[in-house]
């Protein structure tokens, strides 16, 4: 019995109690939850439903809890129900009901943990979106890991998700990039406000290889060559490095397309129709202060040029026109001031910012070795790149390390820790369980131990304390996935997997799965093999949500 199944049973018992007492059932919630008590001696699960409903039902919470306990005691799978404090229900499952979960997980396989919680939501999730003027730096790498994990979580919770990379190929930073390439190709220092690092020389050389006469052309024409070819080469490199990191986007959206298709003009017309446009000092403004922004924003400057914010408006409108009812944008710590203007912009379009737009801010990441920050990348010149990060840790450890912490907190990634093959390395600790459960399954097959047919499974044999603890941990997985998706916090999955890993190690130490010597195979060992394989399923499913492998051997 999963926690979700038990919650349904508790709510059904409440309906029966209300019907027997003639209480209006409309005060009952549509759903309820049960939780694992902090102290295992208080039972397998706890419910606060009696305290939640007492006042609305006109019954003292403890009296209602007593009636619920009596009703639950008659339900299949419930061993006992105790009442604590003002109306807590402490529930114990019988071994059959608890153990049944092992079979359910194995049979569900990759689908275990998926829920329909977010079904019907169409979410556009934009992350990374680094400018194509250099390799992806460590801040973008964090969003690559967290954003990709979040997309997987949202899909596992039933949402229709489109992942997107906004390719900023217009504006002054691209001009500086082109000038830097041009100067490098000529063997001159890059402009003072240009881009440094060895990658500039590499890209410049690649442009000359593709267009050998680029430097023979007039400067304006040559700069355009370096702009077009350079951006194309840089972005191809960005896509390749993200792909090697296991991150793929459904859509790569070019800012230039917004300009070419006239979408900035379309956004301006829409905002003007909403009554939020005004003219001042020869420029066109959006009155975002009407919706809490600290100042109004220029859309079109007095010289006729569009601002970056105008492109932001057009891009948001484009996403909404494509049918996404929620736009989620993941940004770095230096974009915190962006939230107010974007929320106000959504309101100017007539949207509800709380419903249609969500902005997540991520904090800084530092790589540390021997207690000292890792030096900047020689190739990038000023920052640590995705390639540097992966070279130092490997893809699995890098992705797990970045997804393991709440994205709104700064983190130091200790290279020595995350590359160590010991239990204090979190990713090793979890992956070791994936490998150990696979090894147990292989060894079982070698001695003729199989799970047997599902109908022959005897869940009641899984009555050991450590078996029960592991089952309870495995049963939490769907709720962890759902909450991680709803709260946009993939780190919850990583921390949960470490809890499961600990529960499995304790089970493995106390509950032998394989027969010894000529010992005959027992039904208990078959039941424990179900539990072993259920653990591997949960570990593999959870790691998959983080984009991390579940190795069969280590």
């Amino acid at each position: 019995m999963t926690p979700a199944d038990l919650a349904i049973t508790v709510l059904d018992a409440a309906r029966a109690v209300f019907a027997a007492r003639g209480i209006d059932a409309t005060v009952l919630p549509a759903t309820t939850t049960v939780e694992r008590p902090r102290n295992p001696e208080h039972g397998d699960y706890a419910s606060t439903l009696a305290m939640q409903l007492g006042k609305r039902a006109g019954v003292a919470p403890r009296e209602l809890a007593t009636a619920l306990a009596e009703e639950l005691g008659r339900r299949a799978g419930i061993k006992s129900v105790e009442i604590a404090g003002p109306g807590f229900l402490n529930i114990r499952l019988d071994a059959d009901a608890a153990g049944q979960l092992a079979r359910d997980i194995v049979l569900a396989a990759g689908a275990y943990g998926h829920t329909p919680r977010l079904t019907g939501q169409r979410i556009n999730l934009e992350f990374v979106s680094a400018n194509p003027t250099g390799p992806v730096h460590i801040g973008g790498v964090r969003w690559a890991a967290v954003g990709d994990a979040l997309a997987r979580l949202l899909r596992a919770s039933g949402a229709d998700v489109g992942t997107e990379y906004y390719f900023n190929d217009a504006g002054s930073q691209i001009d500086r990039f082109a000038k830097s390439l041009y100067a490098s190709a000529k063997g001159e220092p890059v402009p003072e406000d240009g881009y440094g690092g060895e990658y500039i020389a590499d890209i410049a050389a690649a442009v000359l290889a593709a267009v050998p006469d680029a430097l023979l052309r007039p400067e304006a024409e040559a700069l355009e060559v370096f702009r077009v070819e350079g951006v194309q080469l840089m972005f191809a490199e960005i896509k390749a490095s993200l792909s090697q990191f296991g991150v793929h986007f459904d859509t790569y959206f070019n800012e230039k397309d917004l300009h070419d298709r006239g979408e900035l003009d379309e956004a301006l017309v829409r905002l003007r129709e909403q009554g939020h446009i005004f003219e001042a000092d020869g420029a066109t403004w959006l009155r975002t202060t009407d919706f809490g922004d600290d100042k109004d924003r220029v859309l079109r400057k007095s010289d006729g040029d569009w601002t970056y914010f105008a492109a932001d408006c057009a891009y948001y409108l484009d996403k909404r026109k494509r049918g996404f009812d929620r736009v989620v944008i993941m940004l770095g710590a230096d974009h915190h001031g962006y939230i107010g203007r974007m929320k106000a912009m959504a309101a100017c379009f007539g949207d509800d910012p709380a419903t249609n737009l969500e902005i997540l801010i991520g904090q800084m990441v530092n790589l540390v070795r021997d207690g000292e920050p890792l030096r900047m990348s020689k190739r990038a010149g000023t920052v640590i790149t995705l390639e540097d990060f992966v070279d130092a840790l490997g893809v699995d450890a890098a992705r797990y390390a970045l997804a393991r912490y709440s994205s709104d907190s700064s983190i130091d990634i200790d290279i020595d820790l995350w590359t160590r093959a010991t239990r204090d390395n979190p990713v090793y600790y979890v992956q070791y369980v994936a490998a150990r459960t696979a090894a147990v399954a292989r060894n079982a097959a070698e001695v003729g131990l199989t799970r047997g047919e599902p109908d022959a499974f005897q869940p009641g044999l899984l009555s050991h304390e450590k078996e029960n603890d592991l089952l309870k941990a495995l049963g939490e997985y769907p709720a962890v996935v759902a909450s991680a998706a709803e709260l946009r916090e993939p780190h919850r999955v990583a921390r949960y997997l470490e809890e499961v890993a600990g529960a499995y190690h304790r089970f493995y130490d106390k509950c032998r799965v394989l027969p010894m010597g000529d010992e005959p195979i027992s039904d208990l060992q078959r039941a424990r093999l179900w539990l072993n394989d259920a653990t591997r399923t949960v570990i593999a499913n959870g790691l998959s949500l983080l984009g991390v492998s579940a190795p069969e051997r280590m």
Side-chain angles (χ1 to χ4, degrees), residues 166-186:
Y166 184 53
F167 180 20
N168 190 336
D169 56 349
S172 60
Q173 82 281 359
I174 300 298
D175 293 337
R176 297 197 303 273
F177 179 62
K179 290 176 181 177
S180 300
L181 294 175
Y182 183 53
S184 179
K186 292 192 299 179

Side-chain angles (χ1 to χ4, degrees), residues 197-244:
E198 291 184 357
Y199 78 94
I200 289 293
D202 295 339
I203 297 292
V207 172
L208 288 177
V211 187
D213 68 341
L215 292 178
L216 302 177
R217 303 183 185 188
E219 182 173 334
E221 186 178 337
L223 281 170
E224 185 60 19
V225 168
F226 280 98
R227 174 200 299 271
V228 174
E229 296 291 331
V231 166
Q232 184 175 358
L233 287 165
M234 190 71 256
F235 195 60
E237 183 176 318
I238 290 172
K239 290 176 70 174
S241 62
L242 286 169
S243 178
Q244 292 168 1

Side-chain angles (χ1 to χ4, degrees), residues 41 62 94 118 125 272 345 349 369 485 499 534:
E41 294 181 2
R62 191 171 178 89
D94 64 34
L118 302 181
L125 178 61
R272 196 181 297 278
M345 174 268 292
F349 275 119
R369 172 175 280 157
E499 179 185 343

